[in-house]
Structures are given as structure tokens and as C-alpha cells.
Amino acid sequence: VQLQACGGGLVQPGGSLRLSCAASGTIFSINAMGWYRQAPGKQRELVATLRTGVSPSYADFVKGRFTISRDNAKNTVYLQMNGLRPEDTAVYYCHAELIVGLNLRVDYWGQGTLVTVSS
């Protein structure tokens, strides 16, 4: 199984970006997909997560600005980021909790995509 993330880039404060992350390989089902981020010198932190059958969960610092969604047919999770701020600058990592075999639950991470918010 692989997670391929894309959509990062340079954007001015107040701008928008949309990240996407597609899971490929032998996947029985998806328990959850989400996004974390890690800024220079800081620990990785949860941004948003979407568990199957549950409402999305967001970190307080992105509530009202970011929206997570999922296309189950494509095994893809999206993060729509609006109202970006310089403090949102970080490498964003896709995460997935997948069932890949009988009673086999595994966590996967994407390669990270850099988001830079600067004027």
C-alpha cells in the first residue's frame, strides 16, 4: 500500500490550497484518513481526520478554515485549506488507518507535501 500526496505549494496569506492523498494497493477497507503537519522545529500535529461513519475532527487552529473530505471510490482524502496564515507553513503528511488483510490493521504515511504561506 502506498499513499501519494500532492497539492502543496507557495501561497500568499489569505489564500487557498487543496491537498489530496490517494491510497493504492490491496485495501480491504479504510478506518480513517487524515492530515498531520510538522513545522520546522516543532512536533508533528494532527490537522484533521475523517473516520468512517464519524463526523470529521479538526484541530482548533484550523476550525472554520480547513475542510477534510473523502472519496471512498478513489480511496482519496482531500484537505481544502482556506484563509491560510503564515503559521500554517509546514510539511503536511497524509495518514491512513487501513485494513489490508484479515484482522490486519496498519497505519500508513504519505511522503509529505510542503505548504508555504508567505507574501
Side-chain angles (χ1 to χ4, degrees), residues 70-89:
R70 211 166 86 188
D71 185 333
N72 292 325
K74 296 180 179 180
N75 290 338
T76 299
V77 64
Y78 305 95
L79 186 68
Q80 178 66 43
M81 304 185 293
N82 300 327
L84 283 161
R85 305 166 180 169
E87 54 264 37
D88 294 319
T89 295

Side-chain angles (χ1 to χ4, degrees), residues 8-9 15 17 19 21 25 27-28 30 32 35 39 53 62 68 71 76 81 83-84 89 97-98 102 104-105 108 111:
L17 282 174
L19 306 182
C21 174
I27 301 170
F28 281 33
I30 298 174
W35 294 92
V62 302
I68 189 171
D71 185 333
T76 299
M81 304 185 293
L84 283 161
T89 295
E97 181 185 317
L98 307 176
L102 185 61
L104 182 58
R105 183 180 65 186
Y108 293 91
Q111 82 281 14

Side-chain angles (χ1 to χ4, degrees), residues 36-60:
Y36 289 70
R37 72 185 187 186
Q38 187 167 18
K42 295 187 177 182
Q43 290 187 333
R44 189 173 298 188
E45 59 186 358
L46 174 68
V47 176
T49 188
L50 186 54
R51 299 194 70 85
T52 300
V54 180
S55 298
S57 176
Y58 297 94
D60 286 343

